[in-house]
Amino acid sequence: RPIDRADARFRPILRMFACWLAQDVGKAPATVRLHLRLVTRFLDGVAGVEDVRASLRALAAPTIEDFVVSYAHKQGPGSQRPMRSTLRCFLDFAGAQRWADTGLAKAVPAFHRYRLTHVPSGIAADDIRRLLATIPNETAAGCRNRAILLLLATYGVRSGQLCALRLEDVEWSARRI
């Protein structure tokens, strides 16, 4: 259990937070465990040596931002969103308990993730050569398939452009499409 593994100073707060998540918010047990693990990391990073509640009362937006940015640099994009969500939830809870300023959840920064940022650049040349070697040259369909694959691989023609391509789009004498 995340509470049993946490620092003894954090356990009373984590127990209250777990009850609030399960009973008042209606979170599933697996989600509660995830929130507890992430809040423990947060408390490890920001809590003082003595009184945890005093550390929460002294908590300010720059401290939260610094923690989230530091966490984001150490973790992958997939783990950043759960931490931000957990922090917003915990800071709302801490504000309701009067352990922290209300509205601190707004200090949790948002990161923009752009779609398709990790799309592979293309198929390796060796893989393309192996694929082309499997296509028979003796049939009309084989020649067509080979031409299609060469257009896709060599010139970067997209599949939508390829589907829209017509015979009259090919300038045979100029060797241009």
Side-chain angles (χ1 to χ4, degrees):
R1 288 185 37 123
I3 294 174
D4 298 333
R5 288 188 216 119
D7 187 316
R9 298 173 302 137
F10 306 153
R11 290 179 191 158
I13 291 171
L14 293 174
R15 280 189 194 96
M16 292 176 71
F17 183 50
C19 287
W20 180 76
L21 286 171
Q23 295 171 2
D24 295 354
V25 182
K27 297 282 185 181
T31 305
V32 171
R33 286 191 298 274
L34 174 65
H35 281 321
L36 292 174
R37 281 196 310 274
L38 294 175
V39 166
T40 300
R41 290 185 80 172
F42 174 69
L43 293 174
D44 279 335
V46 301
V49 180
E50 297 294 322
D51 186 10
V52 178
R53 291 182 189 172
S55 297
L56 291 172
R57 277 191 294 278
L59 200 58
T63 306
I64 296 167
E65 291 170 3
D66 290 344
F67 173 82
V68 172
V69 169
S70 173
Y71 182 84
H73 285 300
K74 295 174 191 169
Q75 304 297 317
S79 62
Q80 293 170 11
R81 181 181 287 169
M83 176 57 89
R84 292 191 319 267
S85 172
T86 295
L87 285 180
R88 287 186 188 106
C89 190
F90 177 72
L91 292 169
D92 282 340
F93 168 75
Q97 299 297 316
R98 296 189 183 357
W99 298 339
D101 288 340
T102 57
L104 271 180
K106 294 176 185 168
V108 177
F111 294 107
H112 295 287
R113 282 191 63 196
Y114 298 98
R115 290 180 58 226
L116 306 177
T117 56
H118 296 292
V119 173
S121 59
I123 301 172
D126 288 341
D127 293 336
I128 293 170
R129 278 193 280 280
R130 281 198 307 269
L131 179 61
L132 289 171
T134 64
I135 299 174
N137 291 331
E138 303 81 35
T139 64
C143 290
R144 180 205 60 213
N145 292 343
R146 183 177 187 80
I148 288 172
L149 285 173
L150 285 170
L151 280 172
L152 292 170
T154 308
Y155 295 104
V157 175
R158 295 186 175 117
S159 60
Q161 294 169 322
L162 187 65
C163 290
L165 191 63
R166 299 292 171 248
L167 195 56
E168 50 273 2
D169 295 331
V170 180
E171 296 177 15
W172 297 102
S173 59
R175 295 180 159 213
R176 185 171 60 206
I177 299 175

